[in-house]
Amino acid sequence: MEHARKTFRHIEYVFLDRDGVINRKPPEGKYVCTWHDFHLLPGTEGAIAALNASGRKVIVVTNQRGVALGLYTEDDVRLIHTELQRHLAAYSAHVDAFYFCPHDNAQCSCRKPEIGLFEQAFRDFPDASRANSILIGDSISDIQAARRLAIPSIFIPGEPGSRKPGGVEAEAMAEAIAESLAQAVDRYFPL
Ligand SMILES: [Mg+2]
Ligand SMILES: [Zn+2]
């Protein structure tokens, strides 16, 4: 298996999509509005802790269109991220930065597959660049954003019952595939 052999030793900045990577993606048309709706996927805490321990930065980049739809506010998103940090701290894990797009489709330059969230991160972390970054995501828009940025990506297809349109294309475009964040970190970022 070619995928099983690939590692990304030179990577220092690991960009993570949120819903479907860190936490269970809600059913189509549903959104994570509060911490109560945020259910971490198995192994997430350990995977982030391992990335932290390896010296890499962990940066979340997430589309939160539910803000534009009026389902929750930007402060609600920040509150969820604060709760997530509190939860991760018990596992000696943390996220180095969160970036989210609160806009609706096709109205901004930050909703993935646009690359504005990454550009914000590159401004805030001057050592980060296309040469030392990777994205792990579960949507075609994640993989397309990585492609536009010219950074590698790892695609998480998701549970068989909840695979999304574009999955086949995303698998073909991504540099690697994993069943979960935990598996991606185990397989591609050995300590
Ligand atoms: Mg996602
Ligand atoms: Zn946006």
Side-chain angles (χ1 to χ4, degrees):
M1 290 281 295
E2 187 186 334
H3 283 142
R5 293 175 186 282
K6 189 173 306 199
T7 59
F8 297 103
R9 291 185 189 284
H10 64 290
I11 295 295
E12 294 172 48
Y13 290 82
V14 181
F15 288 84
L16 302 181
D17 173 47
R18 198 190 79 180
D19 303 334
V21 174
I22 292 176
N23 55 295
R24 197 171 298 285
K25 186 183 162 51
E28 205 54 46
K30 300 264 187 184
Y31 293 81
V32 177
C33 302
T34 71
W35 177 242
H36 183 75
D37 306 323
F38 196 97
H39 305 291
L40 276 89
L41 287 162
T44 295
E45 299 94 338
I48 293 176
L51 290 172
N52 296 149
S54 76
R56 295 184 170 92
K57 299 282 191 223
V58 175
I59 300 176
V60 170
V61 282
T62 176
N63 288 349
Q64 292 300 326
R65 179 171 172 252
V67 173
L69 298 179
L71 300 173
Y72 48 90
T73 66
E74 294 194 27
D75 278 345
D76 292 330
V77 176
R78 291 187 193 98
L79 199 57
I80 289 169
H81 295 166
T82 301
E83 291 294 334
L84 174 60
Q85 290 286 43
R86 199 190 314 275
H87 174 82
L88 290 174
Y91 298 82
S92 301
H94 69 273
V95 171
D96 291 283
F98 292 91
Y99 299 92
F100 64 92
C101 165
H103 308 117
D104 208 339
N105 294 325
Q107 300 197 339
C108 67
S109 59
C110 56
R111 181 173 167 80
K112 295 173 290 182
E114 300 294 330
I115 61 172
L117 299 179
F118 299 85
E119 290 176 333
Q120 289 177 43
F122 286 167
R123 279 195 292 275
D124 293 343
F125 293 87
D127 293 339
S129 73
R130 288 167 165 75
N132 61 12
S133 297
I134 196 169
L135 171 70
I136 302 177
D138 74 321
S139 292
I140 181 69
S141 56
D142 295 313
I143 307 308
Q144 287 169 332
R147 189 52 83 82
R148 284 187 191 184
L149 258 181
I151 66 173
S153 59
I154 300 174
F155 179 59
I156 297 178
E159 291 150 359
S162 65
R163 294 197 175 171
K164 290 174 290 178
V168 172
E169 190 188 351
E171 285 199 24
M173 283 169 63
E175 273 62 30
I177 312 250
E179 286 176 11
S180 63
L181 175 60
Q183 189 188 73
V185 171
D186 261 7
R187 189 180 279 182
Y188 300 112
F189 298 97
L191 280 176

